[in-house]
Amino acid sequence: CAGHTYTIAIPSYYLSIIDNNNVLYVGTANGHTPSYNTAIFESDTKKYAEWIKEVVEYIIDDAHPVPFQMHCALGSDRTGSFAAMIAAMCGASWEEIARDYEATSYLKVQEYRHRNCIRYCIRHLSGVDPATDDSFNEAVRAHFVDGGYLTEEQIDKMVAKLNVVDTI
């Protein structure tokens, strides 16, 4: 705007993630950038499973040390969906996943940031309602393993890598 100067500051923490090349742009390698509708409402599709596979393979690649940055336009729906699946495979509880997803409502973009949205996503993919059935973690893992997208070894390697305690 005329007469005003704005400065955009990226925190050094994020700059180090970018500088270390720890940013994955999901889907860009195959021209299938994640869409909101697929990431939330079509989580049982091959395209969605391939995106999750891409994220897991990126995480377990030794060339990419933790931490990572995962983001979309607002960091809520597509990112929230991917983060929920990763968290489910890591053994997070439904309440932890739902609370994390709903935290994006603090961005004041609230139309789809209710736990029922991510609940639908997980239930649609796994066939198990995460709010009422504690076996949803195993069902999410099984979806990707039984579908041939990931192996148990890949998931276990991801879980081990993400469970590293850091003093950041």
Side-chain angles (χ1 to χ4, degrees):
C1 295
H4 297 281
T5 302
Y6 297 94
T7 302
I8 298 174
I10 301 173
S12 60
Y13 175 76
Y14 289 117
L15 286 174
S16 70
I17 292 172
I18 295 165
D19 290 344
N20 288 324
N21 195 32
N22 279 348
V23 180
L24 170 65
Y25 299 98
V26 176
T28 56
N30 61 17
H32 297 276
T33 304
S35 69
Y36 169 82
N37 284 338
T38 302
I40 298 295
F41 300 112
E42 300 169 5
S43 59
D44 65 335
T45 64
K46 178 180 179 183
K47 187 184 300 185
Y48 183 85
E50 288 173 349
W51 290 331
I52 296 295
K53 177 182 179 180
E54 186 177 353
V55 171
V56 171
E57 287 177 343
Y58 182 88
I59 290 170
I60 65 175
D61 185 336
D62 291 334
H64 305 286
V66 293
F68 311 100
Q69 180 180 1
M70 183 166 40
H71 214 291
C72 57
L74 293 173
S76 58
D77 298 311
R78 290 166 289 178
T79 300
S81 170
F82 294 169
M85 294 305 164
I86 299 299
M89 286 188 272
C90 288
S93 71
W94 163 244
E95 191 55 39
E96 290 168 324
I97 293 169
R99 189 173 49 244
D100 184 59
Y101 183 74
E102 287 181 328
T104 60
S105 291
Y106 296 127
L107 295 170
K108 304 299 182 203
V109 184
Q110 298 177 357
E111 62 265 10
Y112 296 109
R113 281 45 174 209
H114 189 274
R115 66 183 50 214
N116 283 339
C117 190
I118 207 67
R119 180 181 179 187
Y120 174 87
C121 180
I122 294 171
R123 187 176 57 225
H124 190 66
L125 176 135
S126 69
V128 175
D129 186 343
T132 62
D133 189 337
D134 290 337
S135 72
F136 80 93
N137 302 85
E138 293 83 17
V140 168
R141 285 177 73 122
H143 172 80
F144 295 107
V145 172
D146 295 348
Y149 301 103
L150 297 169
T151 66
E152 287 288 347
E153 293 78 19
Q154 287 175 305
I155 295 171
D156 291 342
K157 185 174 181 179
M158 175 192 65
V159 171
K161 190 168 183 180
L162 293 178
N163 283 322
V164 172
V165 177
D166 200 337
T167 58
I168 296 175

